[in-house]
Amino acid sequence: MDKELGLHLITIKEWLSTQRHLPPISDQEIKTFLHSNYYDLEKTKLTIENYYTFRTNCKDFFSNLDLNSEELQRMMTVVDMGILPQTTPEGYKIIVVRLADTDASKFSQISYSKFAAIALEEWLKEDGLAEGHVIIYDFTGCHLGHIAKLGVFPTKNYLYYIQEALPIRMKGMHFANIPSFVDKILLLMKPFMKRELYEVLHLHSTNEALQKFVPPNCLPSEYGGTAGPFKPFRDEFYGKLLANREAILRGETEKQVVESERESRGNGWFSMFRR
């Protein structure tokens, strides 16, 4: 695999040398794109195109990325995220997303999506070459006031980003502690979900149901697991995010395409995420 990876890396670097609109991409970043696409060269090229084009054109998600800003500082008090230390038996890495403040008036879907994009990309810098990735969304404290603040375009854009641009091997998306109105959330999401994502989406109303997919030794005590309380995982992850603040800020300008250098692809290239 090392020899094959080296050859694929060379091939992608040669291709990138002909793509004048794309920014410089490190070898490690190329490896992550290759890995997420199981070393399929054409799919890797498409994901690279999608990723940098999306970052450039979806300003709602990829502008004003200063983690010290009032917007993102507020989001870090509203939403908790943490990477769990244990992998599943298959070698999958796990991140948990949950509400820290259940006051719906403080929640913004755009701000959350921006923060989630930052967090997921930082996660993949560390764990992008894992066998797979699992996201657990804990709906504890979610109520209809939150659902009322969800919109079609932010949902469409976020799901496009997860499915078409982010270099991730999505092996499981779990909705834990689901509310009775989860059908309203799914109604909004389903039109923008590919079959591959829908097949790994699982809904759980109890910890026991979640544990059928994620073993107890992987899970924090809040989910009936033996990995300890969730807060230290949250604090460690947020500490890493803040430590990387300057690099995240640089990415806002460095991870951009130059449209004037792009070969024409006809109309509709950005239609997936433009309003």
Side-chain angles (χ1 to χ4, degrees):
M1 175 58 73
D2 288 344
K3 182 178 180 180
E4 184 180 9
L5 173 58
L7 292 173
H8 287 335
L9 183 63
I10 291 171
T11 300
I12 294 298
K13 291 176 74 171
E14 289 176 347
W15 171 75
L16 286 170
S17 70
T18 69
Q19 306 300 304
R20 294 178 300 178
H21 62 290
L22 291 172
I25 304 174
S26 71
D27 285 4
Q28 186 59 38
E29 289 170 321
I30 296 172
K31 289 177 183 178
T32 302
F33 280 109
L34 281 164
H35 180 77
S36 69
N37 285 286
Y38 299 90
Y39 305 97
D40 182 303
L41 293 173
E42 294 308 311
K43 289 181 179 179
T44 297
K45 293 175 185 178
L46 181 59
T47 304
I48 290 172
E49 285 277 13
N50 290 345
Y51 173 79
Y52 289 100
T53 300
F54 187 85
R55 282 191 63 106
T56 303
N57 288 277
C58 190
K59 300 301 184 183
D60 282 348
F61 291 8
F62 291 104
S63 63
N64 304 315
L65 301 184
D66 187 353
L67 287 171
N68 285 343
S69 68
E70 180 181 352
E71 176 190 21
L72 293 178
Q73 281 288 306
R74 181 175 63 254
M75 198 48 47
M76 293 175 75
T77 67
V78 171
V79 176
D80 280 345
M81 298 187 192
I83 300 169
L84 305 186
Q86 299 294 330
T87 61
T88 69
E90 300 87 357
Y92 304 158
K93 291 293 296 184
I94 308 163
I95 191 169
V96 174
V97 183
R98 56 186 291 172
L99 286 171
D101 189 329
T102 61
D103 183 350
S105 68
K106 300 177 182 178
F107 179 80
S108 160
Q109 187 181 13
I110 293 294
S111 297
Y112 164 74
S113 298
K114 178 186 297 189
F115 179 59
I118 292 172
L120 290 175
E121 291 191 9
E122 290 299 303
W123 178 34
L124 293 181
K125 285 181 182 178
E126 184 173 329
D127 294 321
L129 300 184
E131 288 300 313
H133 305 92
V134 173
I135 304 178
I136 299 173
Y137 292 98
D138 182 357
F139 281 81
T140 299
C142 179
H143 48 79
L144 287 172
H146 292 95
I147 306 307
K149 304 189 81 171
L150 301 181
V152 172
F153 284 109
T155 301
K156 177 182 179 181
N157 288 347
Y158 186 71
L159 288 172
Y160 174 87
Y161 173 67
I162 291 291
Q163 296 175 101
E164 305 291 350
L166 189 67
I168 188 172
R169 285 188 176 184
M170 188 72 76
K171 295 295 186 178
M173 181 180 287
H174 298 273
F175 287 4
N177 299 309
I178 55 172
S180 59
F181 49 83
V182 69
D183 58 311
K184 299 183 185 299
I185 302 171
L186 294 177
L187 187 64
L188 182 62
M189 293 175 61
K190 278 184 178 179
F192 312 116
M193 293 180 71
K194 297 174 68 175
R195 177 178 57 83
E196 292 83 357
L197 182 60
Y198 191 74
E199 288 178 348
V200 300
L201 173 64
H202 304 281
L203 312 181
H204 311 293
S205 57
T206 65
N207 288 335
E208 291 76 16
L210 175 62
Q211 290 171 14
K212 292 179 180 178
F213 294 87
V214 183
N217 71 296
C218 296
L219 291 168
S221 52
E222 290 87 344
Y223 306 95
T226 59
F230 177 70
K231 188 176 185 301
F233 307 136
R234 178 267 186 205
D235 291 347
E236 180 181 4
F237 184 48
Y238 280 21
K240 288 181 179 179
L241 290 177
L242 290 169
N244 291 329
R245 170 178 170 266
E246 292 296 332
I248 292 167
L249 273 173
R250 288 196 301 272
E252 185 174 338
T253 54
E254 292 175 356
K255 295 184 177 182
Q256 299 281 304
V257 299
V258 180
E259 291 300 339
S260 60
E261 297 290 339
R262 186 198 294 274
E263 293 182 8
S264 175
R265 295 179 181 273
N267 295 328
W269 176 250
F270 308 122
S271 62
M272 284 294 293
F273 47 85
R274 278 189 169 171
R275 297 187 181 186

